[in-house]
Amino acid sequence: MNFSAKNPDRRESGKQKKELKAGLKELRRQLTAAGVPKGKTAEYVKELQETLERRERLAAGYEEARRHLKRARESIARLSECMGESPANEVAVSLQELLTELRGVCHDCLIREDDADFGSTVAGITQMAARYGTDSTGMQAIMLRSELENAKAVMDDVSGFTAPDFFALAYYLGHEERGSLAEMENEQRNQFVSAYTKEHFLDAFLRDCRKAGAEPRVWEMIHHGT
């Protein structure tokens, strides 16, 4: 069975891996030819490859979470309009669809999985959605609307976040604990991981790449797909 013909994303991924492998091989050759010690060259190339591969996974997870975030916000906006007017069974179905989206919105650079307030809000929506149609009037309906508004407010806020430098984040997470970023605001985290990566890897690496005439190649690898 020809899977590549039916899976263009997989085929594109395979092409990118081949290009990366070829690029790293050429980088290794350039650095060695420029007099960079073989051990140091091997360390550079290994670090770069691992960081690039980790970056792709992080970026893919982030984009998936943003898709869920967009659909969840749209779903809540529709629910706000139809609750009280549409049949209860239709609203109940829409609530279950919303919950499916809410389960996918968490990401370290958006809404963290350990965000207790957001988790509590989603739990409240889940409980009330299960009873919708049998207990959907009065105070219960008011509470459900309130929880939906709370969830949407959080998602509206994070939807405006600047996307992270995935290369810098990938390098940082390859060397430090993920939890060390937990208390940082979005922009603070972005600046912190960028500065960390520059200090601990990029400054020295790019200096040697510059000597080898390989700096443009490396920047292309770092920014490709971002």
Side-chain angles (χ1 to χ4, degrees):
M1 186 177 293
N2 186 355
F3 285 99
S4 63
K6 295 185 179 182
N7 294 275
D9 291 343
R10 181 179 298 178
R11 183 171 53 192
E12 182 65 21
S13 176
K15 179 183 176 183
Q16 291 175 356
K17 287 180 180 179
K18 288 181 180 179
E19 291 175 350
L20 175 59
K21 184 177 180 180
L24 291 170
K25 183 178 180 179
E26 177 60 17
L27 175 62
R28 185 189 298 271
R29 185 196 66 76
Q30 288 179 283
L31 289 171
T32 302
V36 179
K38 288 186 177 181
K40 192 175 185 181
T41 293
E43 183 180 334
Y44 279 151
V45 172
K46 180 176 182 292
E47 190 73 76
L48 178 61
Q49 180 175 3
E50 291 178 351
T51 302
L52 289 172
E53 291 173 348
R54 191 178 300 113
R55 179 198 66 183
E56 292 307 307
R57 294 192 296 272
L58 287 169
Y62 179 83
E63 290 304 319
E64 179 67 15
R66 286 200 72 96
R67 285 192 289 271
H68 284 291
L69 186 71
K70 180 176 182 294
R71 292 194 292 260
R73 293 171 67 207
E74 292 171 347
S75 180
I76 290 177
R78 288 193 299 271
L79 278 164
S80 296
E81 294 178 359
C82 73
M83 284 176 62
E85 298 180 5
S86 299
N89 63 324
E90 291 182 9
V91 176
V93 170
S94 295
L95 284 167
Q96 292 305 317
E97 291 173 349
L98 168 63
L99 290 171
T100 298
E101 301 300 342
L102 288 175
R103 295 185 190 103
V105 302
C106 290
H107 186 278
D108 285 351
C109 300
L110 291 168
I111 303 171
R112 292 180 58 88
E113 289 186 358
D114 58 3
D115 185 322
D117 289 340
F118 187 76
S120 176
T121 295
V122 173
I125 294 172
T126 301
Q127 292 172 3
M128 285 181 273
R131 297 195 298 268
Y132 196 87
T134 58
D135 185 13
S136 55
T137 59
M139 185 57 66
Q140 192 69 27
I142 293 173
M143 291 172 63
L144 176 56
R145 283 185 179 275
S146 176
E147 293 288 38
L148 290 172
E149 290 171 1
N150 291 339
K152 188 172 184 297
V154 173
M155 293 188 290
D156 285 349
D157 183 40
V158 302
S159 68
F161 282 2
T162 302
D165 176 342
F166 288 111
F167 183 86
L169 181 61
Y171 179 82
Y172 182 85
L173 294 178
H175 297 271
E176 305 292 344
E177 291 294 326
R178 185 181 297 267
S180 59
L181 303 174
E183 301 303 319
M184 294 187 186
E185 296 294 332
N186 185 61
E187 289 302 327
Q188 180 188 12
R189 182 193 61 245
N190 290 347
Q191 293 173 12
F192 176 76
V193 297
S194 292
Y196 178 96
T197 301
K198 186 174 184 293
E199 177 184 351
H200 290 85
F201 178 55
L202 281 181
D203 279 351
F205 175 46
L206 291 175
R207 187 163 52 245
D208 281 338
C209 288
R210 206 169 296 124
K211 294 176 185 176
E215 188 177 13
R217 174 185 298 278
V218 170
W219 277 121
E220 184 178 353
M221 289 181 181
I222 289 175
H223 293 295
H224 178 69
T226 61

